[in-house]
Amino acid sequence: MEDRFERVKVNVLNEIADDFEEIGQVMIQLDRWASDIAITRDEAKAALLKLVEDGLAKAYDLHVSQVPISGSPNPEYHFFYITPQGLESTCRRRARSLVESMRGCLAAATVTVD
C-alpha cells in the first residue's frame, strides 16, 4: 500500500499533466475534482518540489520564458508541467490500476455452464 505522500504526488502530477500550472490552480483543481484524499497547500508544494527532484516535472518562470528554470523552484511563484518521464510514470500507474481492476472483475465473475 502506498503512503499518503505518494498519493499526494500522484494527484498533483495528474493536475500538471495537461497544462502549465501554478500552486493556486493546482489547489483549485484538486478541490474541484475531489481527489481521493484532501490535500493541503503545504503538501501540494512539497509534492511539486519532489516531482521536480525526481524528474517527473519541471518548473518554469512563464513571466520570462517557456524554458525550464535551473536551480530550486519556488512553489509559490513558478509554474509546473509534467515531463515525458512523468507522463510515462502516470501511464504505467494507470495501466497497473486497470489490470488490477480487471483481475478483480474476473475473480468476482462466476460462470456456470449447465
Side-chain angles (χ1 to χ4, degrees):
M1 184 171 171
E2 61 187 9
D3 68 6
R4 178 179 172 79
F5 189 61
E6 188 62 30
R7 290 173 59 203
V8 169
K9 287 189 330 184
V10 166
N11 281 281
V12 170
L13 187 62
N14 286 338
E15 295 309 327
I16 63 169
D18 63 347
D19 197 6
F20 293 96
E21 302 290 2
E22 47 81 34
I23 187 66
Q25 191 62 35
V26 169
M27 294 308 300
I28 289 169
Q29 296 301 331
L30 289 172
D31 289 343
R32 178 177 294 152
W33 300 115
S35 68
D36 60 336
I37 56 174
I39 298 172
T40 68
R41 188 178 186 94
D42 286 340
E43 288 175 313
K45 290 189 312 188
L48 286 167
L49 292 174
K50 183 65 173 154
L51 291 167
V52 169
E53 180 183 313
D54 292 347
L56 303 177
K58 289 195 180 211
Y60 298 81
D61 184 351
L62 294 182
H63 307 285
V64 176
S65 75
Q66 288 190 348
V67 176
I69 67 160
S70 58
S72 297
N74 176 347
E76 288 291 343
Y77 178 78
H78 291 110
F79 288 76
F80 296 84
Y81 191 64
I82 197 167
T83 63
Q85 182 182 351
L87 187 56
E88 182 180 326
S89 172
T90 298
C91 288
R92 277 192 316 250
R93 175 179 293 281
R94 288 180 181 167
R96 276 194 309 270
S97 178
L98 179 60
V99 167
E100 289 169 10
S101 221
M102 294 304 293
R103 283 186 183 140
C105 257
L106 291 172
T110 308
V111 177
T112 55
V113 179
D114 293 329

